[in-house]
Amino acid sequence: AQKITQTQPGMFVQEKEAVTLDCTYDTSDPSYGLFWYKQPSSGEMIFLIYQGSYDQQNATEGRYSLNFQKARKSANLVISASQLGDSAMYFCAMREKGTGGFKTIFGAGTRLFVKA
Amino acid sequence: EPEVTQTPSHQVTQMGQEVILRCVPISNHLYFYWYRQILGQKVEFLVSFYNNEISEKSEIFDDQFSVERPDGSNFTLKIRSTKLEDSAMYFCASTFGAPVSSYNEQFFGPGTRLTVL
């Protein structure tokens, strides 16, 4: 079963508009962390934002915010005022405890295209 | 700013050969990871390493894979007998502090692209 589901393989957004990238997750562990990473065409993984399962407020980091709906098990990323440089692959990930230590499970990703 | 480094950036090898991918985590980090990303696909967890031993591994991490921290700075992934399907980008990552909570930002290295011919 998929632990992290990103249902949008590709998204288009007009420059300066806001965009929401969807992510749903599945875990029975009450303690977990949710992450979003950006992967530009150069290939590196860039950390964007984190939300802990016990955090009461939605995380925000500059133009990035995480719409955390725990009951629905969703952790959507909102990018406000899109810029051309935001064009990249975006991965949602969940960190949970395995049998020994922690592991991070990634979704399939959403490719975002920002149009001028 | 401290960063995770990986060498080489690109490795080409023949099927059946052994390869060692090298990583230098951030110096005060304690928890280390390897991930792989087959071209165009998602990032897959391979293994986590803490206190000089494997703490978690995925089903991908079979007997042909091994990890080692041979000295105080390097963290290596060895693939004993490479197969065509091992061709992928391999990312090393590290986190600060002990894994006592689900949060610890993982700092990723730039990756090593492995091509098996």
Side-chain angles (χ1 to χ4, degrees), chain A residues 36-107:
Chain A
W36 278 91
Y37 287 89
K38 173 183 178 181
Q39 187 178 44
S41 56
S42 51
E44 72 266 34
M45 296 289 287
I46 302 168
F47 167 77
L48 295 178
I49 197 167
Y50 164 81
Q51 180 85 42
S53 58
Y54 296 118
D55 292 345
Q56 296 295 315
Q57 291 189 315
N58 287 344
T60 60
E61 287 285 347
R63 294 187 299 112
Y64 304 108
S65 60
L66 201 152
N67 184 2
F68 182 46
Q69 298 189 40
K70 194 170 181 177
R72 295 185 179 181
K73 293 189 175 179
S74 75
N76 299 339
L77 176 71
V78 180
I79 306 174
S80 63
S82 298
Q83 301 170 357
L84 295 178
D86 294 335
S87 293
M89 195 73 163
Y90 289 81
F91 290 100
C92 178
M94 177 175 67
R95 188 133 185 258
E96 62 175 2
K97 196 168 191 310
T99 54
F102 286 89
K103 58 183 178 180
T104 303
I105 308 298
F106 285 78

Side-chain angles (χ1 to χ4, degrees), chain B residues 91-106:
Chain B
F91 290 103
C92 173
S94 68
T95 57
F96 172 73
V100 295
S101 71
S102 60
Y103 173 68
N104 260 312
E105 178 190 338
Q106 289 185 44

Side-chain angles (χ1 to χ4, degrees), chain B residues 23-41:
Chain B
C23 168
V24 179
I26 295 173
S27 62
N28 62 346
H29 284 191
L30 299 176
Y31 216 162
F32 315 117
Y33 308 82
W34 282 102
Y35 296 87
R36 80 172 185 190
Q37 185 181 29
I38 296 170
L39 186 64
Q41 299 187 22

Side-chain angles (χ1 to χ4, degrees), chain B residues 27-97:
Chain B
S27 62
N28 62 346
H29 284 191
L30 299 176
Y31 216 162
F32 315 117
Y33 308 82
W34 282 102
Y35 296 87
R36 80 172 185 190
Q37 185 181 29
I38 296 170
L39 186 64
Q41 299 187 22
K42 66 180 178 182
V43 178
E44 299 174 292
F45 168 78
L46 292 178
V47 66
S48 57
F49 190 87
Y50 172 67
N51 201 25
N52 281 321
E53 59 184 23
I54 290 172
S55 58
E56 190 74 23
K57 62 181 180 179
S58 71
E59 54 274 11
I60 301 169
F61 195 86
D62 59 25
D63 291 344
Q64 71 159 349
F65 290 93
S66 62
V67 289
E68 193 178 31
R69 189 154 163 81
D71 53 42
S73 58
N74 289 283
F75 178 52
T76 61
L77 174 69
K78 182 191 289 186
I79 309 175
R80 190 167 58 235
S81 177
T82 51
K83 303 190 283 274
L84 294 176
E85 54 265 37
D86 292 328
S87 294
M89 180 74 94
Y90 288 81
F91 290 103
C92 173
S94 68
T95 57
F96 172 73

